[in-house]
Amino acid sequence: MKIADVRAKAFAMPLHDPAYPRPPYKFYNREFFVINYRTDPEVLRELVPEPLEVIGDTVSYEFIRMPDSTGFGDYTETGQVIPVRFKTPSGEVQEGGYVHAMYLDDNAPIAGGRELWGFPKKLASPKFRHEQETLVGTLHYGSVLCVTATMGYKHKELDLSTFSAAMAKPAFMIKIIPHVDGTPRICELVRYYMEDVTLKGAWSGPAALQLFEHAMCDVARLPVREVISASHYIADLTLGLGEVIYDYLAPNTNNI
């Protein structure tokens, strides 16, 4: 294979059999189960990296079912998103979510999510199911139960405009790619948006959330102090590609 051929073909690993296809990725009937809760604000400030700033003392714990996603197939994901703000070089203040932790059960979106955007994805066994009148979410890391979440099924229909505004906000994460000597070669703050969103329904209900300590699955580092609200909604969307907004390794590091 010629050098020019390597450059033309190289968009993902392995070179001859990539773990995922080229983007964009579309999701149909993506189902969200989100519990918003209060936690320890000191821990939030320890975990959220500058130049992001923590907003308040809340966390969103999410379960997401992806039954039909182009390139990635059928899988389930769960994790924590922290409300933050970011000040752009022009002085605009953006509010969004810092993606702190993600656990899922499918290799292609783990590889693609980490390599393209920098999603903090790890392999685990999340489950999101309907049990009679209850939505149930669980996360096992290996054989160990780390999360149990429950919510009453469709107790109250919600205004879709509220969710449209929330889903229009950006999400942020840290993308880290190591050098061959083990030092970081890429360390960037990335921003992305969900695009082409079509909301199909949204509901609220009573909810409960339990997080259990685990050495390698640290969701309990952000303990549940109080459940504030819970929502269940379904949407079609496209996962927009990211953009680098801060380079931690640049000399005299400045916003991009």
Side-chain angles (χ1 to χ4, degrees), residues 55-150:
I55 300 175
D57 61 353
T58 62
V59 181
S60 294
Y61 194 94
E62 303 181 349
F63 283 89
I64 309 174
R65 276 285 301 127
M66 271 77 66
D68 183 1
S69 56
T70 58
F72 292 153
D74 180 347
Y75 65 104
T76 303
E77 185 170 273
T78 188
Q80 291 160 310
V81 178
I82 301 169
V84 295
R85 65 171 62 94
F86 172 72
K87 188 174 183 179
T88 69
S90 65
E92 177 192 0
V93 177
Q94 292 185 321
E95 292 191 357
Y98 172 64
V99 185
H100 168 63
M102 303 181 82
Y103 300 90
L104 56 160
D105 57 2
D106 185 0
N107 175 67
I110 290 175
R114 288 170 65 102
E115 293 174 13
L116 284 168
W117 292 270
F119 281 110
K121 296 177 182 255
K122 297 179 75 171
L123 179 65
S125 299
K127 301 292 182 185
F128 175 11
R129 58 194 182 275
H130 299 215
E131 292 186 358
Q132 299 175 353
E133 85 289 11
T134 309
L135 286 179
V136 178
T138 58
L139 171 62
H140 282 79
Y141 197 87
S143 63
V144 179
L145 177 65
C146 296
V147 180
T148 298
T150 54

Side-chain angles (χ1 to χ4, degrees), residues 29 54 102 121 161 163 165 179 211:
N29 296 315
V54 174
M102 303 181 82
K121 296 177 182 255
S161 63
F163 287 89
H179 208 308
L211 308 178

